[in-house]
């Protein structure tokens, strides 16, 4: 399906200074024009999808700005105005005296056909939230959703800045049969949302730019009354939204929970973990990556829970093809909720291989050449003791001097109970907290063993080593029984070394053959 675009661009051009309009027409590329910037004392600039173009060498004057203001509607409390019966938006920059010294003239377009790629989602009856960076097309898609849904259901649009239905009392035809409620002041948007439900009996509420806590609470109230919500919010991705304390409630909210010792051991996590506080307001979430590419989280609750556990998520990737259709596929593994690539909300990252064998010293050996050290901030815990424990256990951890640089906080139980400043700061920004009962070497080493999962790796290492040792013992018996030589299964270098030691003790000759990872030991009669 091809897009049908209606932009009334000539109406916007008529409000601009003539020299600016003339230059825009000579540049062309009208279908790619995003906005025109008019700042006092600076040259006028046109912003396109892929670049910016200077429209004149002459600076914008106060008279030119005043002339534009006279041609557009009245500016509201959010310093936005529009042109009646169009979707264009003019936003003002004020000086300290309240005088306009800059204008952002944004092109508004009614694009029919954009909703096809997610039409099954919005028609499912579930509340849907759209996320994406500014200018990626959230409002355009929201407007088209209102038009399509209004053909069969009762839709009310809460239009805070007249971006969805355009300026003036008569809504733009792009919203179809949807009814439009304007908002006198953006601070009262949440009240208009509730009023729409109580007074006008909608089946669907369409709301643009949910940005305040009161609006997030109003959205939850509406959803709990059984009304479907279609809205947009500030944020690019789901994990951005989860880290926003004002809007996190839209996806269920996040709270810090202290587990019992038994539960923490069962989960394999620290005692203090982050969990989802309540069911999400929005059942579905769409991340608009590009105009023709987006991620669909079909189960927001599950995605949030996985991110909080440090697990990877795979939303549904949808994109348009060259023939006008679209395709669906599972996206590449998405990141866990993080500040950096190594942060986890459970066990710290560990890909090492720890072994413990009776025929070698009890050192814990690991290969973590591909692992970035985990940054830890300590409060009340001996830094030298922690560093000594890291060297002894050979875990990838470094101690940092600033909490903002850390991926975890290690503190004592006494400080944690009193909620000292570093503890409360760590909780507020979502950093995992590991609590020690006392500042002893044993307690510190036990903590590292738990959070890096060393016990599991030790058990797995012992299991593999036992199998390799039993295989070597069987080979000794076969050679002594008359076999000329016996080839063992491929093993890593440390296991092969132990097998060679066993054969040497048995007075047999052994050599390693092949290339990694298929290098193996062959044992001969002496």
């Amino acid at each position: 399906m091809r897009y049908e675009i209606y932009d009334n661009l000539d109406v916007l051009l008529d409000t601009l200074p003539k020299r600016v309009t003339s230059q825009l027409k000579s540049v062309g590329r009208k279908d790619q024009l995003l906005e025109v910037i008019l700042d006092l004392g600076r040259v006028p600039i046109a912003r396109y999808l892929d670049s910016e173009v200077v429209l004149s060498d002459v600076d914008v004057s106060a008279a030119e700005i005043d002339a534009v203001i006279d041609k557009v509607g009245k500016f509201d409390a959010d310093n936005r105005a529009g042109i009646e019966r169009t979707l264009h938006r003019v936003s003002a920059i004020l000086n300290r005296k309240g005088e306009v010294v800059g204008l952002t003239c944004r092109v508004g377009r009614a694009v029919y056909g954009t909703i096809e790629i997610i039409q099954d989602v919005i028609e499912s009856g579930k509340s849907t939230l759209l996320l994406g960076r500014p200018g990626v097309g959230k409002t355009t898609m929201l407007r088209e959703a209102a038009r399509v849904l209004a053909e069969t259901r009762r839709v009310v649009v809460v239009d805070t800045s007249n971006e969805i239905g355009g300026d003036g009392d008569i809504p733009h035809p792009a919203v179809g049969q949807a009814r439009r409620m304007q908002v006198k002041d953006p601070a009262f948007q949440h009240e208009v949302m509730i009023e729409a439900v109580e007074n006008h009996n909608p089946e669907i509420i369409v709301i643009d730019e949910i940005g305040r806590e009161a609006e997030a609470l109003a959205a939850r109230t509406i959803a709990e009354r059984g009304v479907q919500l279609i809205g947009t919010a500030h944020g690019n991705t789901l994990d951005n939204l989860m880290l926003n304390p004002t809007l996190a409630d839209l996806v269920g909210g996040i709270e810090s929970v202290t587990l019992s010792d038994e539960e923490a051991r069962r989960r394999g996590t620290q005692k203090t973990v982050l969990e989802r506080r309540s069911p999400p307001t929005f059942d579905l979430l769409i991340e608009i990556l590009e105009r023709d590419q987006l991620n669909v989280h079909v189960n927001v609750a599950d995605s949030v829970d996985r991110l909080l556990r440090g697990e990877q998520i795979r939303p549904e990737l949808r994109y348009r093809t060259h023939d006008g259709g679209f395709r669906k596929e599972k996206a590449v593994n998405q990141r866990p909720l993080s500040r950096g690539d190594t942060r986890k909300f459970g066990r710290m990252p560990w890909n090492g291989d720890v072994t413990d064998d009776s025929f070698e010293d009890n050192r814990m050996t690991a290969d973590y050449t591909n692992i970035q050290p985990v940054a830890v901030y300590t409060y009340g815990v001996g830094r030298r003791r922690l560093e000594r424990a890291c060297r002894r256990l050979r875990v990838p951890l470094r101690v940092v001097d600033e909490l903002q640089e850390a991926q975890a906080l290690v503190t004592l139980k006494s400080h944690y109970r009193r909620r000292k400043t570093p503890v409360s700061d760590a909780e507020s920004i979502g950093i995992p907290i590991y609590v020690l009962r006392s500042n002893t070497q044993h307690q510190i080493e036990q903590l590292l063993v738990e959070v890096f999962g060393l016990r599991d790796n030790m058990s797995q290492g012992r299991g593999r080593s036992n199998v390799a040792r039993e295989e070597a013992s069987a080979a000794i018996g076969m050679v002594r029984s008359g076999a000329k030589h016996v080839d063992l299964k491929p093993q890593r270098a440390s296991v092969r070394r132990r097998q060679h030691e066993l054969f040497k003790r048995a007075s047999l000759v052994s050599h390693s053959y092949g290339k990694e990872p298929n290098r193996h030991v062959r044992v001969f009669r002496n």
Side-chain angles (χ1 to χ4, degrees), residues 91 188 191 214 323 327 335 337 450 467 476 494 515:
S91 302
F188 301 137
E191 295 182 2
D323 59 3
R327 294 187 62 184
R335 71 274 144 203
L337 182 64
E450 286 292 333
V467 171
I476 292 172
S494 60
K515 294 182 179 181

Side-chain angles (χ1 to χ4, degrees), residues 303-318:
S303 294
V304 171
D305 291 343
R306 285 178 177 273
L307 286 172
L308 291 176
R309 289 196 298 265
E311 300 176 4
Q312 293 180 323
I313 57 175
R314 296 192 66 188
E316 184 179 86
L317 175 65
R318 300 189 180 193

